[in-house]
């Protein structure tokens, strides 16, 4: 019989939610739930789309493992609710999450800190003409990428190869978000690098080189096929992995992240310059997910990874000792 692990008390695994990534979140959450229970944690599934957040307090939960992705889970809203409830949670806090979910706000912070990220044009739904849309490739070149500012899992992302494709790509992104990001396309190697910890103690896990069919790392190839190749340990030239790890650590720290995160990077094939694309503050934990893959390459199995993340659950504003009594 599995020995009970009483260190963490009663744990809620938050999964599902209301975002476009609900299906992926349910897969992540089920994986985490199974892993925690296998290690003796008193863990329970909790779907914020099915019951109000204050039920966490009423049901006596001591901490939360956030396995939500996208809006209402990775954007600071759930984190804010948990701060008010006083229940420690995994991952980044309110401000870091609210910045990181916004790809343009993230770029602004990185650029202000001198960190490399592709050039971009920001559009606001209903506030541009067809002529302005059609002219964007004059600024960013072709091909280019169009995507919603606050979605993940490649939802609403289009690679535009010609002027005639611009309007359709912008419309697809605008259907998911009021803000549309048009971004310079970096041709080269696509890599991702998870980070764990906080501040000076944060550490980068091994870099994963993603090789997708025809370079198309979309929703289907991320979660439902086995045709994408993940090279870890990565096959980058000597010194490049360490340079990317140093870059993502700085990018993670300047946003004030804690707990864990995963940063996506493109390496220009001609110059070998890495460019930061975005950061995920509640990365996937499915069978195809990349953080567990990198952790395994570093010698940490899935169940141990889940326990480590849960052990790091915290609050932006922990109650004072007298307030706890």
């Amino acid at each position: 019989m599995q020995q009970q692990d009483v260190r963490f008390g009663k744990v809620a695994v938050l999964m599902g939610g209301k975002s476009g990534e609900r299906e992926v979140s349910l897969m992540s959450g089920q994986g985490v739930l199974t892993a925690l229970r296998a290690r003796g944690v008193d863990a329970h599934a909790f779907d914020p789309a099915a019951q109000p957040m204050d039920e966490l307090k009423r049901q006596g939960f001591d901490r939360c493992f956030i396995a939500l992705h996208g809006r209402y889970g990775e954007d600071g809203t759930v984190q804010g609710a948990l701060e008010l409830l006083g229940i420690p949670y995994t991952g980044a806090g309110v401000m870091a999450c609210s910045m990181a979910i916004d790809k343009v706000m993230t770029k602004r912070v990185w650029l202000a800190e001198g960190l490399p990220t592709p050039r971009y044009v920001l559009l606001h739904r209903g506030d541009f003409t067809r002529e302005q849309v059609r002219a964007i490739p004059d600024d960013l070149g072709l091909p280019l990428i169009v995507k919603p500012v606050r979605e993940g899992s490649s939802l609403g992302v289009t690679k535009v190869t010609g002027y005639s494709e611009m309007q359709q790509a912008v419309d697809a992104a605008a259907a998911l978000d009021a803000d549309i990001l048009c971004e310079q396309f970096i041709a080269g190697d696509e890599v991702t690098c998870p980070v764990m910890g906080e501040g000076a103690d944060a550490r980068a896990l091994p870099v994963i080189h993603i090789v997708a069919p025809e370079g198309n790392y979309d929703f289907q190839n991320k979660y439902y096929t086995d045709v994408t190749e993940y090279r870890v340990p990565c096959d980058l030239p000597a010194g490049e992995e360490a340079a990317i790890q140093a870059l993502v650590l700085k990018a993670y720290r300047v946003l004030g992240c804690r707990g864990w995160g995963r940063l996506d990077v493109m390496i220009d094939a001609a110059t070998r310059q890495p460019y930061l694309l975005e950061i995920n503050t509640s990365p996937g934990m499915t069978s195809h997910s990349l953080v567990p893959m990198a952790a395994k390459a570093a010698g940490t199995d899935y169940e141990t990874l889940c326990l480590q993340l849960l052990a790091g659950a915290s609050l932006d504003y922990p109650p004072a000792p007298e307030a706890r009594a």
Side-chain angles (χ1 to χ4, degrees):
M1 184 176 175
Q2 173 65 54
Q3 185 176 356
Q4 196 76 9
D5 187 337
V6 298
R7 291 176 296 163
F8 306 116
K10 187 178 180 182
V11 175
V13 179
L14 305 190
M15 63 175 89
K18 298 188 290 184
S19 81
E21 298 176 77
R22 174 178 173 82
E23 190 177 350
V24 178
S25 172
L26 288 170
M27 291 191 289
S28 288
Q30 193 54 55
V32 170
L33 184 66
T34 301
L36 293 178
R37 285 177 171 173
R39 291 297 186 93
V41 177
D42 182 21
H44 306 261
F46 189 97
D47 185 350
Q51 46 188 329
M53 290 290 289
D54 58 2
E55 276 296 311
L56 289 165
K57 198 75 170 177
R58 251 193 298 276
Q59 294 176 27
F61 285 104
D62 297 295
R63 64 178 64 197
C64 293
F65 192 116
I66 298 178
L68 297 163
H69 307 314
R71 293 176 188 159
Y72 311 111
E74 200 172 353
D75 61 355
T77 53
V78 159
Q79 289 77 11
L82 293 172
E83 291 285 341
L84 291 170
L85 292 170
I87 302 175
Y89 54 91
T90 57
V94 177
M95 186 176 72
C97 283
S98 61
M99 283 197 299
I101 194 72
D102 187 315
K103 296 178 180 66
V104 171
M105 186 60 68
T106 301
K107 280 177 170 289
R108 287 170 177 160
V109 173
W110 285 341
L111 288 168
E113 295 290 333
L115 301 179
T117 185
R119 293 184 299 112
Y120 71 96
V121 171
L122 173 62
L123 299 176
H124 302 286
R125 186 166 57 202
D127 192 28
F128 51 82
T129 65
R130 297 182 72 89
E131 290 71 27
Q132 287 172 319
V133 169
R134 189 175 173 82
I136 287 172
D138 294 341
D139 182 15
L140 299 180
L142 286 170
L144 60 83
I145 300 295
V146 177
K147 51 189 163 185
V149 167
R150 302 173 197 88
E151 286 288 355
S153 293
S154 299
L155 294 173
V157 176
T158 305
K159 181 180 178 181
V160 173
T161 58
Y163 284 82
S164 62
E165 300 169 17
M166 276 299 302
Q167 190 64 52
Q168 185 175 353
V170 167
D171 290 344
L176 297 174
D177 198 319
D179 294 322
I180 303 104
L181 172 62
C182 303
E183 186 177 60
Q184 173 194 12
F185 177 74
I186 305 296
D189 294 322
E190 182 172 4
V191 300
T192 193
C193 184
V195 176
M196 292 185 65
E198 181 176 5
D201 294 328
R203 71 187 193 280
L205 294 182
V207 172
I208 300 174
H209 182 189
I210 302 165
V211 184
E214 300 175 358
N216 188 22
Y217 191 46
D218 59 9
F219 186 88
Q220 189 70 18
N221 285 333
K222 280 184 177 181
Y223 302 110
Y224 295 108
T225 72
D226 292 308
V227 294
T228 300
E229 185 182 349
Y230 302 101
R231 298 177 183 171
V232 56
C234 69
D235 52 358
L236 297 178
E240 277 196 11
E241 179 174 25
I244 288 169
Q245 288 174 317
L247 175 64
V248 301
L249 271 173
K250 185 169 184 183
Y252 177 91
R253 287 169 177 151
V254 299
L255 290 171
C257 293
R258 67 165 189 257
W260 65 324
R262 198 196 77 239
L263 293 98
D264 299 332
V265 177
M266 288 298 300
I267 305 170
D268 187 294
T271 64
R272 304 308 296 174
Q273 165 71 51
Y275 289 89
L276 295 157
L277 295 184
E278 60 184 86
I279 180 171
N280 299 273
T281 55
S282 181
M285 289 291 280
T286 74
S287 60
H288 283 60
S289 292
L290 304 176
V291 176
M293 197 180 298
K296 184 179 179 181
T300 302
D301 63 54
Y302 185 94
E303 290 180 4
T304 303
L305 173 65
C306 290
L307 282 181
Q308 288 177 353
L309 293 170
L310 183 61
S314 61
L315 290 163
D316 280 342
Y317 304 104
E322 61 271 16
R324 295 192 190 104

